[in-house]
């Protein structure tokens, strides 16, 4: 039997309709929580990738720093040995440039590590809120 306002009449009654609605709501909340967990996993993976990039830059900074120290040391030795400004000062200039590059990479790595260390607060807050909502729904459905 069917009514014009409501469509086909339900033979199961309002209890079955309420159960269907609650099942749909719980399924939606479950999908929401699963989505939030997927977002948290994606953010964690992104943070790990950022940390990996920072580590690569730290290695580059160390290699460039060692190179700069070697060049500056060679320049100092050459300066003392020759007491002229030609090749020694060229080594100083090149060593200084390499040192500046190493400092730039070290600064960038420091910023990346600081960003990677931050926790994904937005996702954690969203998940806590969703869990609280789910707990409230479950409490309301529990028999008294």
């Amino acid at each position: 039997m069917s009514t014009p306002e409501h469509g086909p009449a339900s033979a199961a009654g309002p209890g079955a309709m309420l159960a269907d609605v609650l099942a749909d709501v719980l399924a939606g909340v479950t999908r929401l929580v699963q989505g939030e967990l997927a977002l948290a996993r994606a953010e964690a993976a992104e943070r790990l990738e950022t940390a990996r990039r920072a580590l690569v830059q730290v290695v580059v900074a160390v290699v460039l720093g060692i190179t700069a120290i070697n060049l500056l040391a060679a320049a100092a030795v050459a300066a003392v040995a020759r007491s002229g400004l030609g090749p020694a000062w060229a080594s100083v200039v090149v060593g200084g440039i390499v040192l500046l590059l190493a400092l730039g990479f070290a600064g960038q790595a420091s910023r990346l590590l600081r960003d990677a260390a931050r926790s994904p607060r937005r996702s954690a807050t969203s998940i806590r809120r969703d869990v609280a909502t789910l707990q409230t729904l479950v409490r309301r459905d529990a028999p008294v």
Side-chain angles (χ1 to χ4, degrees):
M1 163 165 54
S2 170
T3 61
E5 302 89 33
H6 303 292
S10 172
M17 288 175 33
L18 181 61
D20 288 343
V21 168
L22 285 176
D24 289 343
V25 168
L26 286 176
V29 169
T30 300
R31 283 191 305 275
L32 178 65
V33 169
Q34 288 172 343
E36 293 293 338
L37 289 173
L39 177 62
R41 280 192 297 271
E43 286 180 349
E46 181 181 330
R47 297 283 184 217
L48 284 173
E49 175 60 23
T50 301
R52 185 198 64 77
R53 286 191 350 240
L55 183 60
V56 167
Q57 289 193 4
V58 165
V59 169
V60 169
V62 167
V63 168
L64 290 176
I66 290 171
T67 302
I69 290 170
N70 284 333
L71 287 172
L72 290 171
V77 169
V80 170
R82 294 190 43 106
S83 68
L85 300 178
W89 285 108
S91 294
V92 169
V93 169
V94 171
I97 290 170
V98 173
L99 181 60
L100 289 176
L101 286 172
L103 292 174
F105 276 107
Q108 179 67 18
S110 174
R111 282 189 293 279
L112 287 172
L113 284 172
R114 199 171 36 250
D115 289 344
R118 281 193 238 144
S119 64
R121 294 168 205 247
R122 185 178 54 87
S123 294
T125 302
S126 296
I127 290 172
R128 279 194 291 275
R129 188 176 50 240
D130 294 342
V131 167
T133 301
L134 184 58
Q135 288 173 341
T136 302
L137 286 173
V138 169
R139 280 190 219 117
R140 286 182 188 164
D141 291 341
V144 179

